[in-house]
Each structure stands twice: as C-alpha cells, then as structure tokens.
Amino acid sequence: MENFSLEQYLKYLQYLVNFDNGSMNAKGVARVADFFKEKFEEGPWKCELITIEGAPVGPCLKVSNTPDDDYDVLLLGHMDTALPDGEAEKRPYTIDENGIVRGVGVSDMKGCLLSTYFALAELSNEHRLDHAKVCFLLNCDEETGSRYSGPTLRKIAKHAKHVIVVEAARKTGDMVKERSGVADYHLHATGVSAHAGVNPQDGSSAINELAEWIVRLHKLSNYAVGTSVNVGIIKGGKGSNVVAPEADADVDVRFKTQAEFDRVNNAIRELEKQSFTPGGAKVTAEYRPNRPPMPCTEKTQKLADLISKLGKEQGLSFGWVATGGGSDGNITADMGIPTVDGVGPVGAGGHSAAEWLDSKSVEPRMRLLKSTIAYLCDHPDF
Ligand SMILES: [Zn+2]
C-alpha cells in the first residue's frame, strides 16, 4: 500500500468531494465505498460491502485484518454527507494559498476517511498490525442518525475494546470526549375546524394548542446542564379565515444524561394528557429516538489522556471538549465501549457551504492516529 504524501492525499480528496453522496444517494455512497475497497485491498485488509436489506441507502464498508471481532481498536467513519444532490457541482474542490481545502464533505468527513486510510496503510506497510485486530467501519447513513445502519454498527462493535471516531477535530484542534444524546419528536395537533368569522366559537384551534405546547416545551431547556429543547419546524392551518383543524411541529431534544431525557420525556407525556384550548384541541407526540448520550466515563478519559500524551510527544497540543452534536460514537459509548471522537484532521463548517479542512493538519493528525492505534494494539490490557 502507499505511504502518506500530501500530494496524493489531496488528489484523492479532490476526486472524492467532486461528486454527490448524501445519505439517500445510494449510488454516490457506493462509489465512495468502492474507492476505499479498492485501496485497502492492495494490502492485507479484508473488505466487505454490507448492504442493509430493504433500506434506501448505500452499503457500509467493513475493513478488517482479522476474522475475529474482539478488536483492539474499532475505527468509525461515515461516507455519506448531509447535503443534497447538485451541491458538489455548485462548490467543487478548491485549495487556497493557506492550504485550506473547501468542498462537499472535505471535513465531514471524506478527508478524515482518507487520513485514516493512510494511517492504516502505513501501519500495515511497517508490519505493526500483524498480530493486532483492527477494524475500520465506513458507515453509509450516519447523517440520518444511522437510522438504517445502527443495528449493523452495534453488531460489529459488540466486542471491540476501544472505539475511535475519526471525525474532524474542532477548528481549535480540540478533540471530543463527550456528546449529547439526541431525541426527536413529531407533534401532531388536531382541532375542530370552523369559520373564523361566522362561528369561531364552534371551533378549536390546532394552531393555538400547538402554540401552547411550544411555549412550554422551550421552557424545558436547561442549558446549564446541557439540555435543550428546540421546536425547529411548524406547519399547519388552512387559511387565515379558518380555525385550524391541524398543525404539526418537529422538535429536537439534546441531553447529557438519561435522567434529563426522562425529565423532558415525562413532561411531554404530561402535556399530552391536557388540552389548553377551549373545544378540546389535542396534541400527540411521536417519539423518534435518535442517539443516546456519549458520556465521558473513566475509561474514556484514560483513552483521551493517552492520545493527549502521544500528541505531546509529537509536539501537538489540544484539548478535549463536550459537544451537542451526535455521532456514531454515541452508539458505541452507549454500549459501554470507551469511545473518543474528533481524532481526524482539523476542519469545521460541516453541513454548510462554509465547510473547510486545514490540509496542514492532515499529516500531524494522521501520525497521531497512527501512533494511537499502534499503542492500543501493542497494549491489549490498556
Ligand atoms: Zn460527520
């Protein structure tokens, strides 16, 4: 396999970001999977394309050097982007004089998949993984909350000793040791329709009922402990002269502990039992679980400390942060596996036209990832 060179890395990155592969673009995701499959198969890696039956998404790619599943390290990344078709054409790959790369998925996270590829390629070239058990799972639909791939991920991760999510480091260079849990609710309000001028008293407004909920829901936020409740979308009504028979809303809840989730969920269930609008308009809340929290356990802290120490030896200094965004790390942390995230190169602005990756950070972060993998493989009792 080839050793790292920034020139080759950027050449591959340019290829990968210049086509679309949102989560629901199965063909585009398969194209990313094929690229990495071909690359890894040049070395001692066994690649498996895992299609998820009945799901409208591309395949996952499992890359591993062992038939066993008690991996010393499981590396997690995702191939899909959060952006729709047409985006890659609108803003193709560019690199400026400061080495800042722009394009769809440069940091979230095709550039991170590539640096992980080079770390593993160099390690296998140096025969440092000959007796180690390593798996790199490239997820197909992480940006949907791993809606279809979640069970596959859980199955593969089951006996892993450590998980490293190779998402980009924060723009400050910091890595991630804690993530909030995410839950979504869909609210559906039903009321009684009536003419707003002729007989409004016979109606019961679904919009009014939903509005009563929205005010109460936002008050459930407690930023001091990391809980936020956000009604992000509202829709409803038939016309300004009609008492609204229906209205809908989508709610995003972030929380750091199960207790906080329970508090919010219980409050929502209590609201459901009531009606605030004369005439009996009601709201039902459909719970759509998304991601459990990724807490920083003692073992996670130990893993973070190891990476900081190895970083220091290589002249890199960075901190560790908690973030409200979710990743597949939430799933493996929920399984009790020490999990860290943000170990990739430095970048930010994912999910937007402002996305960037600092190409100067690629090699140092790749070297740190490489030494972290090697350390964990050499110290199975860590
Ligand atoms: Zn991502």
Side-chain angles (χ1 to χ4, degrees):
M1 301 173 85
E2 63 209 310
N3 285 332
F4 178 80
S5 83
L6 187 60
E7 195 190 340
Q8 191 65 307
Y9 172 93
L10 293 174
K11 201 178 111 199
Y12 291 149
L13 187 57
Q14 176 165 16
Y15 166 74
L16 286 169
V17 303
N18 277 350
F19 60 85
D20 290 308
N21 61 292
S23 309
M24 292 302 144
N25 182 341
K27 267 197 187 146
V29 170
R31 203 168 151 190
V32 180
D34 288 341
F35 171 87
F36 282 103
K37 182 171 183 288
E38 195 179 300
K39 289 272 140 221
F40 275 104
E41 283 178 344
E42 289 168 8
W45 297 92
K46 200 177 155 285
C47 295
E48 193 188 337
L49 288 170
I50 304 171
T51 45
I52 298 161
E53 202 135 331
V57 295
C60 292
L61 176 64
K62 181 185 162 197
V63 179
S64 161
N65 65 348
T66 168
D68 301 335
D69 70 350
D70 54 337
Y71 306 116
D72 299 309
V73 191
L74 171 62
L75 301 154
L76 291 181
H78 64 87
M79 298 179 281
D80 60 322
T81 71
L83 292 151
D85 285 352
E87 195 73 14
E89 205 182 347
K90 260 191 257 164
R91 48 185 180 99
Y93 173 96
T94 59
I95 181 163
D96 69 16
E97 66 281 7
N98 297 314
I100 299 297
V101 187
R102 290 191 168 79
V104 184
V106 279
S107 59
D108 189 14
M109 61 178 284
K110 292 170 182 177
C112 306
L113 299 177
L114 265 180
S115 60
T116 307
Y117 157 73
F118 277 108
L120 292 175
E122 289 200 359
L123 284 167
S124 41
N125 290 344
E126 293 159 15
H127 294 281
R128 290 166 78 182
L129 301 179
D130 291 356
H131 305 286
K133 297 176 183 178
V134 177
C135 180
F136 180 22
L137 181 67
L138 293 85
N139 190 352
C140 60
D141 71 340
E142 192 266 357
E143 297 291 3
T144 69
S146 303
R147 190 158 149 207
Y148 299 103
S149 64
T152 302
L153 167 60
R154 283 182 184 268
K155 211 169 113 196
I156 290 169
K158 206 163 177 188
H159 302 294
K161 291 181 201 148
H162 302 95
V163 169
I164 297 176
V165 185
V166 292
E167 288 269 11
R170 311 288 95 175
K171 62 180 171 202
T172 54
D174 288 351
M175 298 185 181
V176 176
K177 62 179 184 178
E178 190 179 337
R179 284 183 179 275
S180 299
V182 190
D184 297 324
Y185 291 85
H186 178 74
L187 306 184
H188 182 62
T190 47
V192 179
S193 189
H195 192 294
V198 179
N199 61 337
Q201 66 281 6
D202 295 337
S204 182
S205 169
I207 288 180
N208 186 70
E209 187 65 14
L210 193 59
E212 295 277 359
W213 269 63
I214 291 167
V215 173
R216 287 167 176 81
L217 286 174
H218 281 161
K219 283 186 182 152
L220 294 170
S221 292
N222 181 353
Y223 303 134
V225 298
T227 303
S228 66
V229 180
N230 180 58
V231 181
I233 295 177
I234 55 169
K235 282 184 220 153
K238 292 260 186 248
S240 61
N241 58 352
V242 181
V243 176
E246 279 182 309
D248 290 272
D250 287 303
V251 188
D252 175 294
V253 180
R254 309 269 160 156
F255 51 95
K256 281 190 177 169
T257 62
Q258 188 61 33
E260 270 299 286
F261 169 72
D262 291 343
R263 179 181 67 82
V264 172
N265 188 56
N266 290 341
I268 288 173
R269 296 305 164 213
E270 280 308 309
L271 285 174
E272 263 186 323
K273 293 178 191 158
Q274 305 172 52
S275 173
F276 303 97
T277 309
K282 293 276 291 172
V283 174
T284 53
E286 185 199 334
Y287 169 54
R288 295 174 176 169
N290 190 329
R291 295 182 193 282
M294 172 180 140
C296 181
T297 62
E298 221 170 282
K299 283 182 169 176
T300 297
Q301 186 61 52
K302 196 177 157 206
L303 181 55
D305 290 343
L306 169 72
I307 297 173
S308 294
K309 183 177 146 269
L310 294 171
K312 223 177 205 168
E313 288 168 13
Q314 296 167 30
L316 289 172
S317 73
F318 48 84
W320 290 87
V321 297
T323 162
S327 86
D328 281 339
N330 294 58
I331 296 177
T332 54
D334 185 51
M335 296 168 73
I337 308 168
T339 300
V340 292
D341 200 338
V343 183
V346 177
H351 303 196
S352 80
E355 184 174 3
W356 58 273
L357 175 85
D358 183 357
S359 67
K360 298 182 295 301
S361 71
V362 172
E363 182 164 5
R365 296 285 165 149
M366 186 279 291
R367 302 250 166 256
L368 175 55
L369 176 62
K370 201 181 143 184
S371 59
T372 304
I373 297 167
Y375 186 95
L376 292 172
C377 292
D378 292 343
H379 300 81
D381 296 325
F382 175 79

